[in-house]
Structures are given as structure tokens and as C-alpha cells.
């Protein structure tokens, strides 16, 4: 039997039963979000509170899970946490398909689309662990154009940090994001585009686009691009 070409997603541990609750609209795990098949592999031990700070002991587990996805028909590999960019090089070296672990990989590309005086907001699950070293930028001028904000301490953050994690309503995710973006824009009116690091945030992307009137890029953007290039 030949496996159908699919996008492989390396999933976090949640402690919840698979499919419970059903993925929210626009979630990267909702079958209706994409027009191509998606398959997942949960990475053993990859709890949010270990992945976000960058637990290096998880690298081998990510590599093994990526191999299983390829065996199941994945033509490209992604991840459901932007902080797994720390494992990008290791996973990419372990498989012979494209690997794009984090939407943070888009930062250099997006900066080159903006005017010289404009700034890009990177909205993350936890800004305390999202240093500019993760953005792939070597020039100080480029780093200065990126403004990082996070939703740490909010309802979404609190629910995801639990074991098992708790479901969060779309309205709660939207509220956490909207509060952070409003503060960032008040402090930095030069912001003209937003990149979401967290894979939970795409459920709020439509609402935040309407609210801000700004281009919003997220993990769904990366997933579509990566699969389209490989399939």
C-alpha cells in the first residue's frame, strides 16, 4: 500500500485523548483547515513546559518521530510549536524531505518585504524564551526591526502549561492576542505586519486581521508553503 503524500506535524504531548476536544476552526489540526492531508506524530516527553525553554534532551525524540512521519508518507515535516526551531538543524539533517519546524523561519523573508522604517511584530506564546537569537538574523539593524511580545500569564498560556493541558476557547485566545498586539502597537506605531509563533494562534488569525488591518502570518502560512513546494 502506498501512503498518500501528506504534511507531517511533530506534535506536543498534551495528556488529552486524541481528538478530544475536536480541533477548533482554523486550527492546524482541523482537517478542514488545509486542502491537503495532514498526519501527526506525538513526540514522547515533548510537554510545553519542556519545549518552550528548549530542553535539549528532546532532540533525539524529535528526530525519531520525524523518521516515523516520513515512513507514513510525509513529504515535508513541520512542528506544532514554534520553539522547536531549536531542533530545526538536527531534524533537517535526519530526513530527506523538507523540514520547517517553526514559523520563526519566516522572519528574514518577511523583513525583506517591509519598508526600511517599518517593524515586524512577532507574537509568541512566551516572550521570555523567545530571544532574537531564534530569528535567524545576524545584523543588528535587522534585529532592531523585530518587536517581540508574548501572552505569558494569560488564559491560553495557563491552560497549555497544565498536564494535561486544558481546552481554551477561541474568544479567550483572541483576547490574549489582541491585548498583546494593542500594547505593542501603542509602543511601536511602526509595526506594519505580525507573525504568530504559536501554533494555537491561527484560530484567531481572521479576527486579528480584521481588528488590526495588518497582514498576519502564522504557522498555517508556513504549512501551506512547505507542502506546496514538496507535493
Amino acid at each position: 500500500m502506498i501512503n498518500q503524500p501528506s504534511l507531517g506535524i511533530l506534535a506536543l504531548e498534551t495528556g488529552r485523548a486524541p481528538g478530544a476536544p475536536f480541533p477548533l476552526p482554523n486550527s492546524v489540526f482541523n482537517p478542514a483547515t488545509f486542502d491537503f492531508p495532514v498526519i501527526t506524530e506525538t513526540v514522547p516527553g515533548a510537554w510545553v513546559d519542556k519545549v518552550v525553554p528548549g530542553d535539549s534532551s528532546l532532540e533525539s525524540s524529535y528526530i525519531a518521530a520525524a523518521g516515523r512521519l516520513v515512513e507514513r508518507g510525509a513529504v515535508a515535516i513541520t512542528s506544532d510549536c514554534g520553539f522547536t526551531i531549536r531542533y530545526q538543524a538536527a531534524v533537517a539533517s535526519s530526513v530527506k524531505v523538507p523540514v520547517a519546524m517553526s514559523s520563526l523561519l519566516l522572519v528574514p523573508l518577511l523583513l525583506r518585504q517591509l519598508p526600511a522604517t517599518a517593524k515586524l511584530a512577532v507574537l509568541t506564546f512566551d516572550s521570555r524564551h523567545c530571544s532574537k537569537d531564534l530569528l535567524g538574523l545576524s545584523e543588528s539593524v535587522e534585529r532592531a526591526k523585530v518587536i517581540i511580545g508574548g501572552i505569558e500569564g494569560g488564559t491560553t498560556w495557563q491552560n497549555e502549561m497544565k498536564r494535561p493541558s486544558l481546552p481554551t476557547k477561541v474568544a479567550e485566545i483572541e483576547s490574549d492576542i489582541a491585548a498583546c498586539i494593542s500594547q505593542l502597537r501603542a509602543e511601536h506605531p511602526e509595526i506594519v505586519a505580525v507573525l504568530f509563533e504559536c501554533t494555537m494562534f491561527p484560530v484567531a488569525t481572521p479576527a486579528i486581521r480584521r481588528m488590526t488591518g495588518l497582514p498576519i502570518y502564522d504557522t498555517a502560512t508556513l504549512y501551506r508553503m512547505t507542502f506546496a513546494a514538496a507535493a
Side-chain angles (χ1 to χ4, degrees):
M1 178 179 178
I2 300 176
N3 292 328
Q4 185 177 13
S6 305
L7 179 71
I9 302 178
L10 295 164
L12 294 168
E13 292 264 26
T14 65
R16 300 197 300 250
F22 189 79
L24 296 168
N26 297 313
S27 165
V28 295
F29 292 110
N30 190 317
T33 299
F34 304 110
D35 58 359
F36 50 82
V38 170
I39 56 176
T40 66
E41 280 279 342
T42 298
V43 179
W47 297 93
V48 171
D49 60 357
K50 294 181 68 176
V51 174
V52 170
D55 188 335
S56 60
S57 69
L58 292 171
E59 185 175 285
S60 59
S61 296
Y62 270 94
I63 290 172
R68 293 193 296 271
L69 284 172
V70 173
E71 291 174 356
R72 293 173 55 196
V75 297
I77 301 293
T78 60
S79 166
D80 83 326
C81 178
F83 287 97
T84 59
I85 195 168
R86 296 185 180 95
Y87 314 123
Q88 169 72 30
V91 175
S93 297
S94 72
V95 293
K96 295 181 179 180
V97 299
V99 174
M101 298 286 282
S102 170
S103 62
L104 295 178
L105 292 169
L106 296 174
V107 170
L109 171 65
L110 297 181
L111 284 184
R112 283 156 180 77
Q113 298 180 20
L114 305 182
T117 58
K119 292 186 177 180
L120 171 70
V122 172
L123 198 69
T124 175
F125 178 77
D126 195 324
S127 64
R128 297 169 300 180
H129 298 287
C130 190
S131 67
K132 292 190 178 181
D133 292 341
L134 299 180
L135 305 182
L137 304 173
S138 57
E139 300 293 331
S140 58
V141 173
E142 289 186 318
R143 290 188 175 204
K145 295 181 66 174
V146 179
I147 307 301
I148 298 175
I151 62 163
E152 57 268 16
T155 301
T156 307
W157 183 90
Q158 292 181 45
N159 288 347
E160 286 301 302
M161 292 295 283
K162 297 183 185 301
R163 296 191 184 185
S165 61
L166 299 178
T168 306
K169 298 176 182 178
V170 173
E172 293 172 324
I173 299 172
E174 290 176 355
S175 177
D176 284 342
I177 294 173
C180 183
I181 289 183
S182 295
Q183 180 179 348
L184 292 181
R185 294 183 80 186
E187 297 172 354
H188 304 277
E190 312 96 316
I191 290 173
V192 299
V194 179
L195 173 67
F196 289 163
E197 167 275 319
C198 182
T199 53
M200 291 187 68
F201 291 177
V203 302
T205 295
I208 301 302
R209 279 201 186 109
R210 291 192 298 270
M211 181 195 85
T212 63
L214 298 178
I216 308 289
Y217 303 86
D218 57 23
T219 46
T221 307
L222 180 68
Y223 289 3
R224 291 188 178 98
M225 183 177 71
T226 304
F227 183 81

